[in-house]
Amino acid sequence: MPDNHLFDELAARYDEQFSFSKSGRLQRERVHRFLRRVIVSGMNVLEINCGTGEDAFFMAGLGCNVLATDDSQKMIDQCVGKLKGRSEEAGVVFKKAGFTELEQFDEGKKYDLVFSNFSGLNCIPAEEITRLSATLSSLLVPRGKMILVVFGTRCGWEIGYRLLRHRGERPNRRRRNKPVIFGPVDSKTRIYYYSPGIFTRLFSK
């Protein structure tokens, strides 16, 4: 599991540094355009690694009933703070829960959609993703959907940036057969990169 200390530290400034930045808005809007094509009002949605709740509020605004989870209590605190004065409040519930804790959810509750945005699943190794695959399968209705946004093994913008800036790391660090270490010294997190084919096989069950 990722080091929660890092995400707790990021929580208070995550929206300022990413969600509300030009890059963050463009990336999120692209995901939201896809969600608009898939979501039907009345859907029950389970969001994992929900961050500061921006996607949960968006889906609630489309008429979904959203249970949004994150393993960082500070991220959940940010979400709860945003509930005040929002019309979508009735459609969103925030809960602190890591990937392994999803196994303990009420077996009687099933979801039409499982959603994960901005690469939370890149914070766990392949064997944990396989285990999570079985858990999420048990929580989905028959023919339910999963929409998972993850870091792939290729990114032309990143390669170009590293080549231009003469960074010490390999330009395509994502294709190494080992995780990339991210974060300050006292709260490092391992980032694992997956090709679409490998990621699909991890969820094959």
Side-chain angles (χ1 to χ4, degrees):
M1 294 298 295
D3 185 338
N4 292 337
H5 176 65
L6 172 61
F7 294 97
D8 284 345
E9 289 293 320
L10 292 173
R13 60 185 189 277
Y14 183 81
D15 282 338
E16 177 185 353
Q17 294 185 346
F18 178 71
S19 298
F20 303 148
S21 69
K22 184 176 181 180
S23 174
R25 288 180 184 275
L26 288 171
Q27 291 180 63
R28 197 181 299 275
E29 177 53 33
R30 182 165 185 174
V31 176
H32 286 182
R33 287 201 302 270
F34 185 83
L35 287 174
R36 288 188 187 98
R37 300 202 304 265
V38 175
I39 283 178
V40 177
S41 181
M43 273 185 166
N44 292 318
V45 178
L46 171 63
E47 182 179 4
I48 55 180
N49 58 273
C50 69
T52 57
E54 289 296 302
D55 296 313
F57 288 119
F58 172 78
M59 291 184 287
L62 296 178
C64 296
N65 302 303
V66 184
L67 173 58
T69 66
D70 199 284
D71 203 23
S72 165
Q73 182 61 57
K74 293 292 180 65
M75 288 290 192
I76 294 297
D77 291 344
Q78 292 290 317
C79 296
V80 173
K82 292 180 179 181
L83 282 174
K84 298 177 181 179
R86 300 190 73 136
S87 60
E88 307 96 328
E89 179 175 352
V92 185
V93 174
F94 293 105
K95 179 181 179 67
K96 182 186 181 302
F99 298 140
T100 58
E101 294 171 291
L102 300 175
E103 301 170 355
Q104 304 167 20
F105 277 22
D106 182 3
E107 294 182 0
K109 178 72 173 180
K110 300 290 184 180
Y111 298 90
D112 303 293
L113 171 66
V114 170
F115 175 69
S116 170
N117 201 5
F118 294 132
S119 313
L121 295 177
N122 287 97
C123 295
I124 57 176
E127 58 270 19
E128 291 188 34
I129 289 181
T130 301
R131 178 182 175 185
L132 180 63
S133 171
T135 299
L136 296 180
S137 178
S138 71
L139 293 171
L140 279 168
V141 300
R143 301 184 67 81
K145 300 180 184 295
M146 288 194 297
I147 299 176
L148 312 172
V149 182
V150 298
F151 288 136
T153 53
R154 296 181 180 181
C155 179
W157 287 107
E158 181 178 286
I159 293 171
Y161 172 79
R162 292 184 177 280
L163 287 172
L164 288 172
R165 293 295 298 269
H166 304 288
R167 303 284 285 232
E169 295 179 271
R170 288 172 54 181
N172 197 354
R173 60 178 184 166
R174 300 179 180 218
R175 303 193 71 179
R176 297 184 299 180
N177 293 321
K178 59 182 180 179
V180 173
I181 306 300
F182 172 79
V185 174
D186 60 343
S187 55
K188 289 185 178 300
T189 292
R190 289 177 171 82
I191 305 296
Y192 303 83
Y193 295 98
Y194 301 104
S195 69
I198 290 176
F199 201 73
T200 300
R201 287 196 293 274
L202 292 174
F203 276 92
S204 61
K205 295 184 179 180

